Amino acid sequence: MCDIDEFGLWVEKMNLSFGKTLRGVACVQPGKYGHGDKFSCIIGVMADGRRWFRMTKVRGTSCEAFNSFVDEICNGARRLPALPQITFIWDNLAAHHSNLVVNTVYMAGHRIVPRAPYRPWDGPVEYVIHSIEQELSLRIDHITTDAQLYTEVQNIVTGLNGFDAYFVHC
């Protein structure tokens, strides 16, 4: 089973004397705040620890971008073999159910089982995303450039383990 989802990262820019924070995290000090740029991330995880990750500086996930990610999993250098058949699970974002994506998965010999809408606790990848955001919040103080943010997120994703516990109820 491979669970895939996307998430956005924003870094709120603030007066340098007061630091910075991830969007949605409360700032307890006064300062001049501004909006940062959005990074769209797509991650796919399996219980055995395999993971695929992409982070780009774009707003949102299009059908083409999501299909490109799924195609990399199904047909890229680290592709999943057709046997045993892999079940892909993801939420109900329109890009996930486009003909392009469905055909890519089926042509590779795999299948899709959509998660129930509005039930993120049924998605193992949701716990992985939370782990990434939590770890990034601990490292955010020394990040000053987009390249550093990208590197830190890549390091966090690479260092994650224990995915099997997230798939217990699937």
Side-chain angles (χ1 to χ4, degrees):
M1 185 173 299
C2 182
D3 192 6
I4 303 175
D5 205 358
E6 59 285 310
F7 62 101
L9 289 177
W10 292 266
V11 176
E12 296 287 349
K13 299 175 182 172
M14 302 188 317
N15 184 319
L16 292 179
S17 62
F18 296 105
K20 55 191 161 296
T21 185
L22 292 174
R23 185 175 199 167
V25 178
C27 297
V28 295
Q29 297 176 330
K32 295 181 180 178
Y33 304 104
H35 296 287
D37 295 318
K38 179 183 180 187
F39 291 85
S40 293
C41 305
I42 308 175
I43 187 166
V45 297
M46 295 182 69
D48 64 7
R50 286 182 281 179
R51 83 246 10 229
W52 294 263
F53 180 73
R54 183 178 295 169
M55 180 174 167
T56 55
K57 198 173 186 177
V58 297
R59 292 189 168 274
T61 303
S62 66
C63 294
E64 293 79 12
F66 189 73
N67 184 66
S68 172
F69 184 80
V70 171
D71 186 58
E72 180 64 29
I73 294 172
C74 292
N75 302 310
R78 297 175 43 225
R79 71 181 163 268
L80 296 172
L83 294 172
Q85 185 182 53
I86 301 297
T87 300
F88 285 91
I89 60 174
W90 47 58
D91 57 24
N92 61 351
L93 183 70
H96 296 172
H97 301 288
S98 70
N99 291 336
L100 188 63
V101 174
V102 171
N103 289 336
T104 297
V105 172
Y106 290 163
M107 293 297 289
H110 304 298
R111 67 185 185 147
I112 301 167
V113 176
R115 289 196 314 258
Y118 308 109
R119 295 181 59 94
W121 53 86
D122 286 342
V125 75
E126 302 294 343
Y127 296 99
V128 174
I129 292 169
H130 176 74
S131 298
I132 293 167
E133 291 173 342
Q134 185 64 31
E135 184 62 30
L136 184 59
S137 71
L138 299 174
R139 301 180 186 194
I140 196 72
D141 289 338
H142 70 274
I143 296 173
T144 58
T145 66
D146 291 349
Q148 288 174 333
L149 176 64
Y150 182 84
T151 300
E152 282 300 323
V153 174
Q154 288 287 346
N155 290 341
I156 291 166
V157 170
T158 302
L160 292 174
N161 56 36
F163 294 158
D164 54 339
Y166 299 140
F167 283 84
V168 169
H169 298 289
C170 291

